[in-house]
Amino acid sequence: MKYILIIALFFSSLFSYSETDLKKLLETNICQECDLTNVNLSGKNLEKVNLTSSNLSGANLENTNLLKSNLWGANLTNTNLNGANVRASNLSGVELINAKCNNTIFKGVNLSNATLENLKCENLSIWSARFLDTSFENVDFTNAGGAYSIFDEIDFFGLKIENVIFWNAKVSNSTMSKKQCEHFKKEEAILKDVECE
């Protein structure tokens, strides 16, 4: 029985956050390279928080205020971002994989060099967001609001953009399907050096 308890404690420690890191975050609003795996921060006000290179995999950030935050290089795999306000934040280099992102506000977010995989986001706002050399694989932005967004050096073939609002969006040095090209043009987006295959 003793050994079973020790093993259970060992494995639970592998899949949970650091209490020290969580305390540091809540007291200072700064926690770089922190272990916040599976932490519950739902509904918290973390405006202007610095979570550079932190591990937030499995974290619950539902309805969390992350306005103007720095999440450069953060791991957001399996993170719940439903209803979160991430507006005007730096998400450069993040891993946003298998995350929940319904009703998420990514307006004005920098997602340069980020990896986005296996996402289906309903009622998503990516207005004025910046995507530079961002990787998309099995990502669904259907019906999202994306006016004034900027896309540079993007392969659109892993991204669904049906009915996305792209009015005055700027797309350059990118490749996409003919259907996607038609959609951008219909939305009066500005295309430069774009290959429509």
Side-chain angles (χ1 to χ4, degrees):
M1 182 67 179
K2 180 181 177 183
Y3 293 112
I4 293 173
L5 181 61
I6 291 171
I7 291 170
L9 288 171
F10 172 74
F11 279 105
S12 66
S13 68
L14 290 178
F15 303 107
S16 62
Y17 57 88
S18 162
E19 292 281 357
T20 303
D21 287 348
L22 177 59
K23 183 179 179 183
K24 178 182 178 181
L25 169 64
L26 296 176
E27 289 179 354
T28 68
N29 218 34
I30 299 172
C31 202
Q32 299 182 53
E33 299 183 3
C34 288
D35 180 6
L36 297 168
T37 308
N38 298 320
V39 70
N40 184 1
L41 294 168
S42 61
K44 297 283 188 186
N45 182 9
L46 299 177
E47 184 175 335
K48 297 182 181 178
V49 70
N50 187 342
L51 288 165
T52 299
S53 299
S54 289
N55 186 353
L56 290 150
S57 59
N60 185 357
L61 298 172
E62 186 170 13
N63 298 318
T64 300
N65 181 17
L66 292 161
L67 176 69
K68 297 182 180 178
S69 296
N70 186 0
L71 286 95
W72 182 91
N75 183 348
L76 299 173
T77 302
N78 297 314
T79 300
N80 183 355
L81 285 163
N82 284 342
N85 180 8
V86 198
R87 188 163 54 93
S89 294
N90 181 11
L91 272 68
S92 298
V94 300
E95 293 182 7
L96 191 57
I97 302 169
N98 298 318
K100 296 178 181 178
C101 48
N102 293 337
N103 303 301
T104 306
I105 301 172
F106 281 126
K107 187 175 181 180
V109 164
N110 185 352
L111 278 157
S112 298
N113 301 300
T115 300
L116 279 66
E117 292 181 17
N118 300 324
L119 303 176
K120 183 175 174 62
C121 309
E122 296 181 6
N123 196 27
L124 179 71
S125 175
I126 54 170
W127 287 57
S128 302
R130 179 174 177 79
F131 302 89
L132 169 60
D133 199 21
T134 307
S135 170
F136 294 100
E137 184 176 334
N138 191 30
V139 176
D140 191 344
F141 281 174
T142 299
N143 298 318
Y148 296 100
S149 50
I150 297 173
F151 297 89
D152 190 18
E153 297 184 21
I154 302 296
D155 180 346
F156 281 89
F157 286 97
L159 177 61
K160 292 182 181 178
I161 58 169
E162 284 81 359
N163 300 318
V164 178
I165 298 169
F166 280 129
W167 187 77
N168 214 34
K170 295 179 180 178
V171 186
S172 57
N173 308 306
S174 300
T175 57
M176 62 179 72
S177 69
K178 289 182 179 178
K179 185 177 179 181
Q180 289 173 325
C181 221
E182 290 171 3
H183 178 66
F184 272 105
K185 290 176 181 177
K186 180 183 175 183
E187 289 293 315
E188 299 183 26
I190 302 165
L191 306 184
K192 182 180 179 182
D193 297 324
V194 173
E195 293 182 21
C196 302
E197 300 177 359

